[in-house]
Amino acid sequence: MPSTPRGGRNSACYFEEDPCSNPRVTQTIGDLISRRTLLQAAAAGLATSCLMDTSDANESVSARNQPPADGPSTLTFQELQHGNDLRAAVAPGYDLHVLLRWGDPLFSDGLGFDPLDQTAPRQTRQFGYNCDFTAFLPLPSDGDGRLRGLLCVNHEYTNTNLMFPGVVDQHCLETLSKERVDVELAALGHSVCEIRQDRGRWSAVPTSPFNRRITALDTEISVSGPAAGHPRLQTSQDPSGTRVIGTLNNCAGGVTPWGTMLICEENFNSYFSGQASQTPEARNHLRYGIDGPSRFSPALANHYPRFNIEHEPNEPNRFGWVVEFDPFDPDSMPVKRTALGRVKHEGAGITVNHDGRVVIYCGDDERFDYVYRFVTNRPYDPHNRAANRDLLDDGVLSVARFNDDGSLRWLPLVYGSGPLTSKHGFHSQADVVIEARRAADMVGATPMDRPEDVEVSPQSGHVFVILTNNSKRTPEQAAGPNPRAINEHGHILELVPPGAADAIDHCAETFQWEVFLKAGNPAKPSDDSSYHAATSANGWFSSPDNGAFDSDGRLWLTTDSDHQLTGFGDGIYACDVDGAGRALTKLFFRGPRGSEVSGVCLTPDNETLFVSVQHPGEEDGSDFQKPSTRWPDFQSSKPPRPAVVAITRRGGGRIGS
Ligand code: FEO
Ligand code: CA
Ligand code: CA
Ligand code: CA
């Protein structure tokens, strides 16, 4: 989702960032936790230094920063120039093909795209809107030598005014018909589509039995883990508290080692209407920014009363989870894994620890919110896929506290430990995971500059936390892991778990951390950016969002920036993370006007890069009739369409080098 308003859903007010809902930004920790509780926490094994607010962080951490690298990058492509064009562009010597567009049929029943007659039944059989996270899962060859695999893609949100004709002002959204609301709900969620490569070019296979749509409209999803069946998840439609219709705002995600997808529910608050004070869940709803009219559409709750919190106060507790499903079994029911906590999950950075336990890192994308870690109690079994089926229901959720000496401590969010007791409204682990943000507030997590994707280097095991921006951080709050006030451009942290290279310990209580880079314009001293010294005038960027490592350990970053602030559109930037070319970012791909470049992934052979181009044409004054671009079709009868692009090297070969 855009980090700053750019016209968005028809009116700039729609996609303004949520106001910060973290009370610790205005309260001291002492307001939240009594001294007695601190002492109890210390007795329970939580270091009291971890319970102090971030004001104790200082600049001494800069002494830990590595000296700037000064050698060449291992990435030899010729970088693009910054720009903001009607069309997408890729570095010279590479080809880009539009692979899947909003409305493309995923099934062979003929329900194709008709922009003047989109219906929910059509949309549930078509590729969804605003593609985000992408993952490629190889399938065995059919024997014809052609590569094939499943492309799994999230659909994050919708742009009503670019999807439908005649949506010209806010009033149109308030009176949005049920038919149009249903199309939008059907356009959210996830698509699984088999793709095959023929003579270097990938295309969809609409006859594949693997193809599937998961939607916000009609997909039944089960709930597992500590909150499953809890009274706070029960509604009049689902008294069991274990079955939810739909998944919302699926942003980034991850692939587990056993080949299931994790798709993360991010800005779920946008869909709910009603006054929090009129519900028994007021404190909870306010901490997630749910209060007042829905930013998706006030019409949603008219057509579906469960989205009115005054009518159904527990419904929001059923969203904000990490959802797991098996893309190889199109009949399987997705599962909301509540053990991982309820926040505005950007994505899920997954790795297997040296002892076999699975570790998942998650950012909660909100100004002044936190970075989380989940560690399974049982090890992953690489020889028995079924044994891993419910692995994510049993483990320890923690939240990061960054210390001023360059260390960080993972603070467990476990019912009964420290302040997470009945005295503070936590009566079970279900309460802890449902109100994960408040639990993290209580233990003293470090408020961050909008944590987006977290990626683990396959080479070093180091953990890269992408912080997109935070224009609200004050000079008094700028320190340590969030070093800049009014952080308009964002930065990336590198977390270093302890242990030898072949036994790195992602489950350790304490890591080290340092700033990997600070985004912004290196030619502008007031930006206070930091990159490799050789970063070019086209290699700098603003507001990094998603990332992916290639098989050589290079990091591919996508941006979600304010195009008016930078003067150019979003793109893909690649860099080494180690060695002489560390943090030498180079521009590889540019999205078309108004777009955000989001989910990126590479095939295991590193020869294809897939990337989502989200909301092309999302700019002030742009709508269905007069969009600022008609990418990728450029037909006057068609609006711009979000699409996944496949990038290959002309003549074949590895991407980037
Ligand atoms: Fe959906 Fe935080 O980007
Ligand atoms: Ca996004
Ligand atoms: Ca973003
Ligand atoms: Ca994102």
Side-chain angles (χ1 to χ4, degrees), residues 201 221 330 334 357:
R201 190 164 180 147
I221 301 179
R357 285 180 287 172

Side-chain angles (χ1 to χ4, degrees), residues 196 250 281 306 404 498 505 585 605 619:
R196 294 188 191 211
N250 305 89
E281 291 273 347
R306 71 183 174 117
D404 59 355
D505 189 6
T585 51
D605 62 9
E619 296 182 283

Side-chain angles (χ1 to χ4, degrees), residues 132-138 149-154 190-193 195 253-256 260-263 327 599-603 610-612 644:
D132 203 304
F133 180 74
T134 59
F136 176 81
L137 305 175
L150 299 181
L151 191 68
C152 299
V153 184
N154 275 349
H190 191 88
S191 293
V192 178
C193 184
I195 57 173
V255 183
T256 66
T260 59
M261 295 292 307
L262 301 184
I263 60 176
V600 59
C601 73
L602 294 105
T603 49
F610 299 104
V611 66
S612 281
V644 172

Side-chain angles (χ1 to χ4, degrees), residues 507-525:
C507 305
E509 185 181 356
T510 307
F511 286 14
Q512 300 290 308
W513 65 269
E514 58 191 76
V515 176
F516 175 68
L517 65 75
K518 291 186 284 182
N521 185 352
K524 204 171 154 191

Side-chain angles (χ1 to χ4, degrees), residues 289-303:
I290 301 171
D291 192 33
S294 157
R295 297 199 306 162
F296 170 82
S297 167
L300 178 62
N302 297 339
H303 303 308

Side-chain angles (χ1 to χ4, degrees), residues 1-3 251 266 346 365 450 452 468 543-545 560 596:
M1 188 169 284
S3 52
C251 190
E266 194 191 27
E346 171 73 19
D365 181 7
R450 294 190 55 202
E452 298 254 26
T468 198
S543 301
D545 188 328
D560 176 13
E596 166 189 347

